[in-house]
Amino acid sequence: KKVMDYKPQNVICQNCKTQFTIEPEDFNFYEKIKVPPPTFCPECRLTGRLLNIMERTLYNDICDNCGKKIISHFSPETSYKVFCSSCWWGDSWDGTEYGKDYDFNKTFFEQFHELRKIVPCQAMNMKNSTDCKYCSGIDRCKNCVYVFSGLQSINCYYCVTPIFVKDSIDSDFIINGDHVYEAFNSNQNYNTKFAYFSDGSLDSAFLFNCLGCSNCFGCVNLRNQKYCIFNKQYSKEEYQKEIQKWDLGDYKIVQKAEQEFMKLFYKTPKHFANIINSTNVIGDNIKNSRNCKICFSVFNGVENCKYIFYSGLLLKDSYDVTLGGDTSELLYQATGSTRCQKAFFVRASSNLVDVEYSENLYNCSNCFGCAKLRHKKYCILNKQYSKEEYKKLIPKIKEHMMNVPYKDKDGRIYKYGDYFPPEHSMWAYNESLIQQYFPLKKEEVKKCNFSWHNPPERDYQITLKTKDLPNHIKDVDDSVLNEIIECEHNGKECNQQCSTAFRILPNELQFYRQMNITLPRLCPNCRHYERLKKINPPKLWHRKCMCNGVESYNKEYKNTIKHSHGDSPCMNEFETAISDERREIVYCKKCYQAEFV
């Protein structure tokens, strides 16, 4: 069928019972990849994927193969078999030795979950990386500590998704950065501190949505500017004199600078969506992409996609992808998967072709319901078949999945075309990535019938309280390297996977001294969660422009120029990830560009 032959269809989500619409373009995609339309709404599909991604929770464990002590994503209390990276990538085992015949008396999802319990899991997913500790999901990295989903990055500490980054600390989703501290979703920056959604910046600090700026401090919405402090223009000489007052090696000054920066942030209009160099897109935080709808945090060559979250690098013709891409196409319901073609319902895999309902597969093709295989073809539930046997059996399995679906404890039905049931996730709610974007407390999680894992008791012997840390980095001596420092939150109701304590590492201290940055007062997890507060959720609200003619509706901002609608209120409406309950001033594209471009 052609797109025009379909009509929009309203569907009630199995999980949240809200109505969502399947558009003609959606039906066309599902027809193209030969899967039935979804029975869960886009948000519930996203939460299902996030439940199957582990990132920041780490445990001490023992490798089930060589017996050495390891750091693992899997709690020692689980029944999963866990190998260290050396053993997992080694030749001492082969995933097909765990292969099973397909049992038409059981549901597919039951059989797959039984398989994943016996095939060895990789404690921490690291590939082609050297001298990296407490890292996972990294590829071609060197000298990194507590880094997740990194690619070709060097000397990075406490970062998430650094791509081609060098010498950076506490920075998430950054590309081509060098000497970057406390940044979020900022690209091609050098010697910057506290830069959020800002690209091409140099020798600057406390920036939001600034492009091509150098020697700027505490600025919002600037383009190609120099020598600005809190959006006020200075001469070079004036700037050099004034910036001396903002010594970020001093903790008290950092606190004052952030307070002043946030005042300006809330008084300055925001574009309804952070979209750069992109055409025909709907969503937020989209860069260098086109023809994308309901997409959030996508970058560099994402085309013809829908319902994408944190993905990029030439991802094409795909739906429902989280943390994926890197020259991939025709992905559907995929998480943490790269360099894949025609891969549906897959997680944590790379270099796949024609693979469905599988996890941790590498360099595989024509596999269905498989776990932890490498360089395999024509496998079902890890059992090897001939090409002819495989092609004959797959249609029967899909038909069986439709006729004999899995039903979870809440009565939700999972057929072919649905993602893995949440109750089959290998991690509890508070262990998985969902806790970062949809945080819930233990009582709320239990009420939703998700599992919760009680963190192990911490027995750190705190040797230094944060209140006793030197105020200025110049007053910190090397003895701090021997201290166990109490996190300022101390695990009290912060709901941020607080580790309660942290240490300063030698290279880290050297970085703080070189960059003249005061020591942190929070543990790495709490610092990450604090950065997450500065981003919009992966959700859209229908809103009206807040320009009331000569000023914003809340009277916080006076327009600097006459807009096309004159002194009358702007009537433009849009879809934005900024809800009307928040403090930000939100302008439509025309009003925003009149003020800042």
Side-chain angles (χ1 to χ4, degrees), residues 6-9 21-28 30 306-307 319:
Y6 293 105
K7 294 181 180 179
Q9 181 179 334
T21 302
I22 303 177
E23 302 287 353
E25 64 193 38
D26 305 333
F27 281 115
N28 189 65
Y30 303 136
K306 197 169 184 179
Y307 306 123
Y319 270 48

Side-chain angles (χ1 to χ4, degrees), residues 68-85:
K68 73 177 181 181
K69 293 181 179 180
I70 57 173
I71 301 297
S72 172
H73 275 316
F74 299 88
S75 167
E77 301 167 15
T78 67
S79 59
Y80 298 109
K81 186 182 295 186
V82 180
F83 283 9
C84 66
S85 290

Side-chain angles (χ1 to χ4, degrees), residues 271-272 545 570 572 574 586-593:
H271 190 213
F272 75 94
C545 180
C570 179
N572 286 337
F574 41 74
V586 184
Y587 274 15
C588 69
K589 182 177 180 179
K590 285 187 176 180
C591 291
Y592 178 85
Q593 289 183 336

Side-chain angles (χ1 to χ4, degrees), residues 249-264:
D250 186 309
Y251 179 63
K252 292 180 181 178
I253 291 179
V254 170
Q255 289 181 303
K256 181 181 178 182
E258 182 162 16
Q259 289 172 359
E260 294 299 314
F261 175 61
M262 294 310 295
K263 284 181 185 177
L264 179 64

Side-chain angles (χ1 to χ4, degrees), residues 464-478:
L464 185 62
K465 301 277 189 179
T466 48
K467 65 181 179 63
D468 296 324
L469 283 171
N471 183 60
H472 201 290
I473 186 64
K474 68 183 180 183
D475 298 322
V476 177
D477 59 42
D478 289 353

Side-chain angles (χ1 to χ4, degrees), residues 185-198:
N185 220 298
S186 297
N187 306 334
Q188 296 179 319
N189 292 339
Y190 176 78
N191 191 30
T192 61
K193 311 160 191 175
F194 307 101
Y196 311 105
F197 303 97
S198 298

Side-chain angles (χ1 to χ4, degrees), residues 199 211 223 271 273-281 285-292 298-303 589 593:
D199 297 348
L211 303 179
R223 300 290 184 270
H271 190 213
N274 183 20
I275 296 172
I276 298 174
N277 191 32
S278 299
T279 58
N280 190 31
V281 298
N285 196 25
I286 301 173
K287 296 179 181 178
N288 308 314
S289 300
R290 64 175 183 166
N291 303 329
C292 295
V298 301
F299 57 91
N300 296 5
V302 179
E303 296 183 9
K589 182 177 180 179
Q593 289 183 336

Side-chain angles (χ1 to χ4, degrees), residues 284-478:
D284 192 51
N285 196 25
I286 301 173
K287 296 179 181 178
N288 308 314
S289 300
R290 64 175 183 166
N291 303 329
C292 295
K293 294 185 178 180
I294 327 297
C295 292
F296 303 91
S297 298
V298 301
F299 57 91
N300 296 5
V302 179
E303 296 183 9
N304 309 318
C305 292
K306 197 169 184 179
Y307 306 123
I308 311 297
F309 186 47
Y310 280 121
S311 300
L313 300 174
L314 303 177
L315 171 66
K316 301 180 186 296
D317 301 301
S318 299
Y319 270 48
D320 291 281
V321 178
T322 302
L323 291 173
D326 191 8
T327 61
S328 294
E329 62 180 329
L330 290 178
L331 268 60
Y332 178 55
Q333 287 279 50
T335 65
S337 296
T338 58
R339 300 186 292 279
C340 297
Q341 283 74 45
K342 292 186 68 178
F344 318 141
F345 320 105
V346 297
R347 58 170 301 275
S349 301
S350 64
N351 295 293
L352 306 183
V353 179
D354 289 313
V355 172
E356 298 184 62
Y357 286 107
S358 298
E359 66 180 15
N360 296 123
L361 266 59
Y362 298 93
N363 301 296
C364 293
S365 63
N366 296 283
C367 291
F368 193 101
C370 292
K372 291 88 176 181
L373 294 182
R374 291 165 285 167
H375 306 287
K376 300 295 181 184
K377 293 182 178 180
Y378 307 116
C379 292
I380 300 171
L381 293 179
N382 283 31
K383 181 180 177 181
Q384 184 69 64
Y385 291 86
S386 67
K387 179 179 179 179
E388 293 73 20
E389 292 171 329
Y390 179 88
K391 296 291 186 182
K392 185 177 179 180
L393 187 53
I394 288 298
K396 295 180 180 178
I397 292 175
K398 291 180 179 180
E399 182 180 6
H400 175 252
M401 292 176 70
M402 297 298 290
N403 295 332
V404 186
Y406 175 78
K407 181 183 289 189
D408 71 11
K409 57 189 176 184
D410 291 318
R412 291 171 292 226
I413 302 297
Y414 295 83
K415 299 182 178 182
Y416 176 71
D418 293 315
Y419 196 64
F420 304 105
E423 64 187 27
H424 285 175
S425 171
M426 290 188 285
W427 299 286
Y429 192 99
N430 59 318
E431 292 179 303
S432 66
L433 200 60
I434 193 172
Q435 179 69 356
Q436 295 182 38
Y437 297 100
F438 300 94
L440 295 176
K441 295 184 178 180
K442 182 177 181 178
E443 300 74 25
E444 296 171 314
V445 170
K446 290 293 186 180
K447 197 175 291 185
C448 295
N449 285 329
F450 292 120
S451 61
W452 180 273
H453 184 265
N454 292 319
E457 289 292 327
R458 314 226 183 232
D459 57 355
Y460 304 131
Q461 298 300 312
I462 304 295
T463 60
L464 185 62
K465 301 277 189 179
T466 48
K467 65 181 179 63
D468 296 324
L469 283 171
N471 183 60
H472 201 290
I473 186 64
K474 68 183 180 183
D475 298 322
V476 177
D477 59 42
D478 289 353

